[in-house]
Every structure is written in structure tokens, then in C-alpha cells.
Amino acid sequence: MALLDRSEWYDIARSTNWTPKFVTDEDLFPDVMTGAQGVPGEKWEVYDEPYKTSFPEYVSVQREKDAGAYSVKAALQRSRIFEDADPGWRSILKSHYGAIALGEYAAMSAEARMARFGRAPGMRNMATFGMMDENRHAQLQLFFPHEYCPKDRQFDWGHKAYHTNEWAAIAARHAFDDLFMARSATEIAVMLTFAFETGFTNMQFLGLAADAAEAGDYTFSSLISSIQTDESRHAQIGGPALQVLISNGRKAEAQKLVDIAIGRAWRIFCILTGPSMDYNTPLHHRKQSFKEFMQEWIVDQFERSLLDLGLDLPWYWDKMIAEFDYQHHAYQMGLWFWRPTLWWNPAAGVTPDCRDWLEEKYPGWNDTFGKAWDVIIDNLVAGHPERTLPQTLPIVCNMSQIPICAIPGNGWNVKDYPLNYDGRLYHFNSEIDRWIFEQDPKRYRGHMSLVDRFLAGQIQPADLLGALTYMNLQPGECGDDAHGYAWVDAYRGRMAAE
Amino acid sequence: MALFPVISNFQHDFVLLLVPVDTENTMDEVAAAAAGHSVGVRVAPRPDKVVRVRRQGDADFFPREMRLAESGIRPMETLEFIFCDA
């Protein structure tokens, strides 16, 4: 039987809007769930998704993708890639799986909301596939680390992290709740698929895939490349939704959603991808610096996407670009210093060779971050590791839930961005974080950061052990230096020679 | 006497820190408490200097002998700790 070409039937088949008889249109598509901002249903009929696929095509392609990822895994199962990998690389895997796997599961719920409440038939159709994509991603990224659990208990956090009050898990939940779990269909289209996925997931999934291939971890490389092919398809749900909003006089509202989402996404990728690329990836396997990657993918490419849609650059664009030079270095220092509070073992990434690379990629690094690392290294060389372990809590940003930090040493620019709202004093990492809070204070005001919980007496005993217990970090799970401090030997030798 | 949390923004350090002090502490004692979490930890010691305390953004420091209870500082206010000539 001859089959019609997809283009000959697609538009009719996916035009599933109808006129309801038993309920009102408002009951069927309440604005609070659709987020259509008053743009009536017929205006959404022009929504035209750039990527079109049918269910049989989708199933066929996804089957091939799954077969590819699983067969690479099976073929390499008996190899010694895992055992032979640099410990810094294993830490990237642990942080990735813990931070991402269940986030994908949450994203499936978000796609489901678009599949039901998306105002345009094309959006609902694409989101149905997106929902299945995210389910696949959650399953893959739980199944792959599961194999490593008997070898290394920290891999259990691939599933466990989101079920705990570990601080990075709180940060991830806070951001993902805001970006897509507690948002309407249109907001999800704009904030999750356009801002988060078009803008940022390329970094974690393409940047790390390149580093993974360089590091010889073809299992991880093929896995996340496979995921990214889905992301690049369903990320296109947002663009046409933005076009509808803008052409119906809702540009200011759309711009605000985009600006909030980019600000929040930047924080997550800055702490997750930045240290992975510039510190945990072994020096000889690094393809690009995090800053170079940000310049290529965010400044050169995403900036064009924003402008092509008729949006403006976020008001804080230059401030964010300025952060490319330092914020992830500060996060790396925090991750390493508060390493017992992590479910992975962060690599310090500051051998003399690494520092030369950092200085080359980020001129002035030695005079700023290097100064603080010098003191840490001196303590390790002098046999005082206890001076390199946390004795108190860092102040956590009331938006990102990540410690408030910036440049130390001779470029010292650390600053609190406080806000007194409704009798409570909030603290933020930057003007960007504070601005996000100010856009909808009632939405954010009730959340208690880890520090707020500590001061409220929820963490007992009120010390590091109590904090680790609160975060559900068991002995054998707490992070420590990825290389067992072997990298300090280079400095020991130098100091002895001097 | 009462436990009093302040936020330390210590010169040359990279992060804001929670520092518990006491309402009866002088500013020098508050500075010493903050220094304990930064100096010799991530900030190189400067024995020829004293550490003075001021509100974030202020030009003037609190008097060294002023007690916290007299300073008007609120709990969880961000204080800057700056190396100064003795």
C-alpha cells in the first residue's frame, strides 16, 4: 500500500483543536495551566513547530538511538575504562548523574503539562514526544550509573540525590521547581525548552561529550550525545510559542520569562559544567575552556537565537558574560573546600601544570584564585589538612541556593546583594539573583535556604556532622579529594627544592 | 550575653561565611572570630596589620572596642573585615 508523504497529512492529523460543547473553553484550557496570558485559542493556531515527526518515525528513530547507546555500553562493559579513568573523570560522572537523572524525570512531568495544556496542537504534539524523550533520559541516566554502584557507593546518588537535603540537591530542586515543575504550559515552553534547553544543555551534553570521547569514556560520550539529539528536537517547542506571544503583544511578559530562566540556568550550568570542564577533566583531555565554550554556545549562538525571535538580550547580559571569567572558579573552590558535603570527590585541578593552563585561559588567575589556593596548598604541605576542611557554613544565595562567592586574592570583589522583604533579610549572589526574586517575591519568599534551616534549629547537632546527617550523607559517601591529595606532592617537591 | 550570627565578608577570601559571635563581643573579638575562618585558611596572614570591621559598603569602621550590642548591627547582617594599619 502506498503511503502518503508525511507533509501531505501532518497538518491535518495534528490539528486537534475542537469546539467544546459540554464545558467552556476556559474550563478546558484554564489560563493558569496554559499560561496563554489571555491570547485566545485561535491565535495559537499559527504555531508551527520547525521539527515535524510522526509517531512511527519517532519510535523507529528512538529505537535506533537506544540500541546505539545500550550496545556501546554492552560492548565496553568488560573494558577497564571505568577503573583506568582518572578519578576526576569519575567525579564528573557522579555529579552529572546525581544532578541530572531525576531532573529529567521531573522534566517529563513538565512536558506532560505541555502535552495536555499547550494551547497549540503542534505544541501538544511535540510535547508528547518530548515527554517520552525525558522518560528515556531518566531511565538511561539511572541505568548507566547503576552498574557502577557495586564498585563505588557514591554512584548510588544518581538516584538518591534528589531525595535528600544535600545542598546541591536543594539548589537543583529549587531551580527546576521554578523553571518547569511549578509553571504553566507556555511558561515551560519558554523557560525549559527555549531558555534552558536551547541555551544551555548543549554545554553539559555536547561539551562534556567531547571531553568524554577525549578521555576514552565512549559509553558516557555516546549516552549524552544520544540524549542531546532528543533535546535539540524538543527544545524547539519554545521558539514558536515565543513568536505567538510576541506577535500578540506579550513581548514584555515573554522577555521576563526568558530573562528569569536564563539567569537561573546560568547558575546551574556554571556550578555543574564549569568545574567539570576546567578542573575535573584531566588537563590533557580538555578540548575547550568553559569560558571558550560559553562564548561559542551562549554568546555567539544563543544570542543570535534571542535576537532572531525579536527578543532583546537580557538586561544583565554583560554582567553574566563578565561572570564567565570568575564565577565557576569560585564555585570550584567552594565545592572542593566543602567536599565532605558532596556525593562525589572533586578534583582540586590546581597542579602547577593546571595552573599554567588556568592562567593562560583566564589571565590573572594566579593573582586571584591562585592566592587562596596557595594558602590551602601550604596547609596541605605543612601537614595541616584540618585547615582545609569546613568549620562553618557558607552563606547560601536565597535564589540559587549556591554559596555566595566571587573573586578572592588581589581581585577581591565578593559582595552580598541583600534585600529586606516583608521583615526578612534575604541574601543574593548578584543583582541578577536578586532581580529574579523581586519579579515575584511571593513565589520565593517562603523558601528556607540551608543556612536559614540551620539558624532555625532544624539541623542538629549544629555542627558538620549534624549537617552531613541532615544531608543524608552516610560514611563512605561523603566527598574527599579525588586524587587522595597526590597532586600536593608536586608542591612538596618544589618547596623542598627551594 | 546572646549568641549572634553575622555574615563575614573577609578581605581576599572568596565566599561569605556564617560566623557565630556574642552580643558582648567587641569589634576586635568579632574580627578575630571571622579571621579564624579565613586567615591561614584561604587568606594569607598579615601579622603587621589589624583587622577592622565595617558594614558592607560603608567607608567607616566601627570602633575597635565597641560591643556588638551597641553597634546597631542586626543578626545576619553582612560585615566586611579589612586589613588595616595597626
Side-chain angles (χ1 to χ4, degrees), chain A residues 70 174 277 291 293 305-306 331 351 427 429 488:
Chain A
Y70 283 105
H174 190 284
M277 293 182 80
K291 179 183 176 182
F293 209 85
S305 303
L306 285 166
Y331 286 159
T351 64
H427 305 275
N429 190 68
V488 183

Side-chain angles (χ1 to χ4, degrees), chain A residues 44 46-48 50 238-249 254 308-310:
Chain A
W44 289 88
V46 300
Y47 179 104
D48 185 26
L242 278 164
Q243 286 172 330
V244 172
L245 289 176
I246 292 166
S247 61
N248 286 280
D308 285 351
L309 276 167

Side-chain angles (χ1 to χ4, degrees), chain A residues 388-448:
Chain A
T388 72
L389 285 165
Q391 300 295 327
T392 187
L393 292 175
I395 301 302
V396 171
C397 172
N398 280 114
M399 181 51 61
S400 70
Q401 312 301 318
I402 298 170
I404 297 173
C405 53
I407 302 175
N410 291 330
W412 185 59
N413 72 343
V414 183
K415 194 177 163 190
D416 182 19
Y417 292 83
L419 178 72
N420 207 330
Y421 176 80
D422 212 10
R424 181 176 160 191
L425 185 58
Y426 296 83
H427 305 275
F428 299 97
N429 190 68
S430 70
E431 281 182 66
I432 305 170
D433 300 275
R434 185 168 60 186
W435 174 83
I436 294 171
F437 184 95
E438 288 173 322
Q439 300 318 296
D440 194 354
K442 288 180 181 169
R443 179 178 180 83
Y444 302 112
R445 64 182 175 185
H447 187 268
M448 292 175 77

